[in-house]
Amino acid sequence: MQITKFIASKSKNFWMIELSSSLNFIASSITSIFIPIIMLNIGFNLKDVILYYIIFHFFDIIFNLFSKRILENKGERFSYILGTLFAIGFFVSYIFLNDRNWLILSLMAIFAALYDSIYYIAFYYGVMSSTKEISKSKENNIIINIISTLAWFIGPLIGALIILFTENKNILLSTTILFFIFSLIPLKKYKSNKKLIKDKLNFKKYFKDIRNRKNFTSWGLYKISETADSILFPVFIYLIFKELDSVAYISIIAIFTSLVFTFISGNISQEKREKVIILGSISLIFIWMGRLLIDNEIYLYSSVALIGIFSLFIRMPIDTNIFKHGKEINELHTAFYKNFISMGSKMIFYILIFILLNWLNLKETFWMVPIFLILIIITNLVYLWKKKN
């Protein structure tokens, strides 16, 4: 009875977008950890992989502006469908990438950027607009993260099993495309928000609010740490062990530990969020220092589980703060800036990695990650100090 009452308390749009996005996330996560590894396997070198991510993020930043207009003019449902079609285009192109072909790779980067910018701005906006009450923001954010974590658990598990038993790229990519197609089905029941108000972006006005500056600075810095762990560390592991199996194990460990701690990290009270973000960042600094100084294989795999736990105590409070404050001020602008800053910060990070690889190996570039985590700590300490005074 309680479950029925709980489900009924959420809008139909909320559950439709959750079902569709879950299938979408499963599709994305089946191959996400293996994309750079497959590139290395078919003849690209490490700097090629980093350059691909720079190109992808560059186009993504540009397309964000067009994606906002598409969302304003056509609504969320159209954006979800269009974004998903571009994702399918990306993976179809990937099937034909069998050698060091930069033409196909550039086309893939454009497809990936169109998917990310169109789909995720609409997704962030849809989640906020389908939340009936601001007081339910934390509760909805927990639901979203639990469901997405489950999706991100199932996807890598499917991908890992395919790699472990077949090591066949085309089976992996075809399975991904199938899940993207499935994700379109719930959208038949989704109704776009007819009251979406067109509004010009005003960066200065939006970030005049100290909470926005704190939330989005923390978000951008966190996304750098996240991409180092989810993309570059698996590449590092692969370059050490030269086996796809080693990367498959990483994906299983990371998602399982995240699933366990999502509910706990989502229930942090508003007054304690900045302090938890600081403690989570300190924990990640120690884990990354261990990765830099300890070569033990057991520690390297254990660190994946530890980062999966402590990252949640940064991501969940930041996500909830952005979600709640965005609901209060401007949902559309918040959705835009969340994706724009995420992709922009990661592009800067990849550019730094690309430059440093001229003199350092991949592991040595990881020294940057603790620096960015220290900046998260400073950002939240400054906010707490200003709030107190």
Side-chain angles (χ1 to χ4, degrees), residues 175-381:
T175 306
T176 298
I177 292 167
L178 196 61
F179 271 96
F180 273 121
I181 294 170
F182 289 153
S183 76
L184 294 172
I185 297 171
L187 296 177
K188 290 182 178 181
K189 301 286 185 180
Y190 185 90
K191 293 183 179 179
S192 288
N193 184 355
K194 303 297 183 183
K195 297 179 181 178
L196 202 157
I197 300 169
K198 295 181 183 180
D199 193 7
K200 288 185 178 180
L201 294 166
N202 188 326
F203 184 90
K204 187 176 180 181
K205 180 182 177 182
Y206 189 87
F207 287 100
K208 188 176 181 180
D209 187 322
I210 188 173
R211 288 175 294 177
N212 284 337
R213 294 201 301 273
K214 179 263 298 182
N215 289 338
F216 282 97
T217 301
S218 299
W219 178 249
L221 293 167
Y222 165 72
K223 293 302 285 185
I224 289 173
S225 168
E226 183 188 68
T227 202
D229 185 64
S230 61
I231 301 295
L232 296 181
F233 187 70
V235 169
F236 167 68
I237 290 294
Y238 174 75
L239 291 174
I240 292 175
F241 299 111
K242 297 293 183 184
E243 292 180 356
L244 278 172
D245 293 10
S246 60
V247 181
Y249 295 137
I250 281 181
S251 66
I252 295 170
I253 294 168
I255 301 302
F256 180 75
T257 51
S258 297
L259 182 62
V260 174
F261 285 86
T262 297
F263 183 79
I264 299 170
S265 60
N267 267 306
I268 298 161
S269 64
Q270 185 173 344
E271 298 76 23
K272 295 179 181 178
R273 283 175 197 157
E274 285 74 28
K275 293 176 183 177
V276 170
I277 290 167
I278 291 167
L279 291 172
S281 300
I282 292 169
S283 302
L284 289 192
I285 288 169
F286 280 109
I287 297 167
W288 273 102
M289 293 299 289
R291 283 179 168 180
L292 288 160
L293 300 172
I294 301 170
D295 290 326
N296 183 276
E297 183 178 345
I298 295 173
Y299 176 79
L300 291 177
Y301 281 105
S302 300
S303 71
V304 175
L306 293 171
I307 283 187
I309 294 168
F310 290 110
S311 289
L312 282 169
F313 291 96
I314 304 175
R315 189 188 84 206
M316 287 291 285
I318 297 173
D319 220 11
T320 302
N321 282 338
I322 291 173
F323 188 42
K324 183 177 183 297
H325 197 43
K327 183 70 181 172
E328 292 170 343
I329 51 172
N330 191 309
E331 296 166 345
L332 180 58
H333 289 191
T334 300
F336 172 84
Y337 285 122
K338 189 176 183 188
N339 201 61
F340 184 85
I341 289 171
S342 169
M343 304 309 285
S345 60
K346 289 191 287 183
M347 186 184 75
I348 291 169
F349 179 59
Y350 280 120
I351 290 171
L352 289 172
I353 294 287
F354 186 82
I355 294 169
L356 289 173
L357 284 175
N358 290 313
W359 303 283
L360 307 174
N361 62 42
L362 182 60
K363 182 180 180 180
E364 289 167 339
T365 66
F366 289 160
W367 282 101
M368 282 195 294
V369 181
I371 294 171
F372 288 115
L373 290 166
I374 289 169
L375 291 176
I376 294 178
I377 295 169
I378 293 170
T379 299
N380 285 272
L381 283 173

Side-chain angles (χ1 to χ4, degrees), residues 54-205:
I54 293 171
I55 295 168
F56 158 44
H57 286 81
F58 172 75
F59 280 118
D60 198 302
I61 290 168
I62 294 171
F63 294 150
N64 266 258
L65 295 166
F66 299 104
S67 301
K68 176 180 174 290
R69 292 178 187 173
I70 291 170
L71 179 57
E72 288 172 331
N73 292 317
K74 299 292 185 178
E76 309 99 279
R77 185 170 177 269
F78 181 85
S79 293
Y80 298 145
I81 294 170
L82 184 61
T84 302
L85 292 176
F86 281 124
I88 292 170
F90 169 85
F91 286 101
V92 169
S93 301
Y94 210 164
I95 291 173
F96 296 98
L97 186 70
N98 293 314
D99 54 25
R100 198 167 176 266
N101 188 324
W102 272 101
L103 181 62
I104 293 179
L105 195 67
S106 299
L107 181 64
M108 286 169 54
I110 292 171
F111 277 140
L114 285 165
Y115 160 61
D116 180 271
S117 59
I118 293 172
Y119 187 88
Y120 279 95
I121 290 178
F123 172 71
Y124 294 143
Y125 174 78
V127 167
M128 283 184 278
S129 67
S130 61
T131 299
K132 296 175 182 178
E133 303 170 25
I134 292 176
S135 60
K136 299 289 185 182
S137 294
K138 185 174 82 170
E139 181 182 292
N140 285 1
N141 195 45
I142 293 171
I143 296 168
I144 292 160
N145 276 278
I146 287 175
I147 293 174
S148 64
T149 302
L150 275 168
W152 285 99
F153 171 74
I154 295 167
L157 189 60
I158 293 170
L161 290 173
I162 291 171
I163 289 297
L164 289 172
F165 288 104
T166 72
E167 292 197 9
N168 189 309
K169 180 188 89 167
N170 289 342
I171 293 176
L172 196 69
L173 298 174
S174 299
T175 306
T176 298
I177 292 167
L178 196 61
F179 271 96
F180 273 121
I181 294 170
F182 289 153
S183 76
L184 294 172
I185 297 171
L187 296 177
K188 290 182 178 181
K189 301 286 185 180
Y190 185 90
K191 293 183 179 179
S192 288
N193 184 355
K194 303 297 183 183
K195 297 179 181 178
L196 202 157
I197 300 169
K198 295 181 183 180
D199 193 7
K200 288 185 178 180
L201 294 166
N202 188 326
F203 184 90
K204 187 176 180 181
K205 180 182 177 182

